[in-house]
Amino acid sequence: MVADNENVARAIFSPRMIINGEIQPEAFCLRPSIQEEYISVIRMAFPTWLDDVKIIPQRKNRKLYGYAEMGVNGIRKIQLKGVVYDVKECASESVPSYAGIFITVNGENLVGGKILSTITPGIEQDFLILAIQRELVDIAQKGLHEL
């Protein structure tokens, strides 16, 4: 269980997630290629959290810029019609601080690349996903730290 009073860190990579110091909605995108079910974050309550952020793989087109510190309570309190945000533990042996931001829309889990059955497909879903991402960007931008 991830407590309301905890903070989590979202690794921010350039160039796709940040432009001129501004976090982009892409930073909170669920990847369709793997039907991603949650947005990966690191629990800052663990002493190894910063090391865990730094070991996330980088590639030639993806360099670690820093991290965005986000309050779990703030994430859970986002008010968007029909949308519920939650932060859950996703620990593994290699990364015990690992967690995820899970999102449901009208009770249906949001999954990368999956069409929601509870809303009109197409433009309505695209706008909703952008609104969902924007809410997270607004919280993350306030806690942006460059490494």
Side-chain angles (χ1 to χ4, degrees):
M1 173 73 182
V2 180
D4 275 347
N5 64 350
E6 283 191 51
N7 288 341
V8 293
R10 172 71 172 158
I12 303 296
F13 293 91
S14 68
R16 293 182 76 187
M17 293 183 177
I18 190 156
I19 298 172
N20 298 325
E22 295 289 322
I23 298 174
Q24 302 301 300
E26 179 72 25
F28 297 98
C29 181
L30 292 169
R31 295 172 290 178
S33 60
I34 60 170
Q35 292 196 319
E36 197 167 33
E37 297 180 358
Y38 58 87
I39 298 160
S40 300
V41 291
I42 301 293
R43 296 172 68 188
M44 297 175 79
F46 284 72
T48 59
W49 76 269
L50 190 54
D51 293 330
D52 295 341
V53 167
K54 291 178 179 177
I55 63 166
I56 298 170
Q58 298 186 60
R59 300 175 188 91
K60 65 180 180 179
N61 64 340
R62 177 178 125 144
K63 302 274 185 233
L64 183 63
Y65 173 91
Y67 65 92
E69 183 175 345
M70 305 169 71
V72 171
N73 190 43
I75 294 168
R76 289 180 175 148
K77 282 189 168 183
I78 294 171
Q79 298 290 310
L80 195 57
K81 185 179 180 200
V83 179
V84 175
Y85 296 77
D86 198 7
V87 180
K88 299 177 184 176
E89 184 179 321
C90 298
S92 67
E93 260 186 55
S94 58
V95 188
S97 65
Y98 194 51
I101 299 172
F102 290 78
I103 302 162
T104 58
V105 177
N106 300 323
E108 183 178 358
N109 294 334
L110 188 61
V111 176
K114 183 181 170 201
I115 303 295
L116 291 165
S117 63
T118 57
I119 63 168
T120 308
I123 293 173
E124 186 177 343
Q125 180 159 331
D126 292 345
F127 279 119
L128 180 61
I129 288 172
L130 189 56
I132 287 167
Q133 292 170 324
R134 192 77 243 166
E135 292 288 341
L136 292 168
V137 166
D138 289 347
I139 294 172
Q141 188 67 47
K142 295 173 192 161
L144 182 61
H145 299 274
E146 193 172 350
L147 291 175

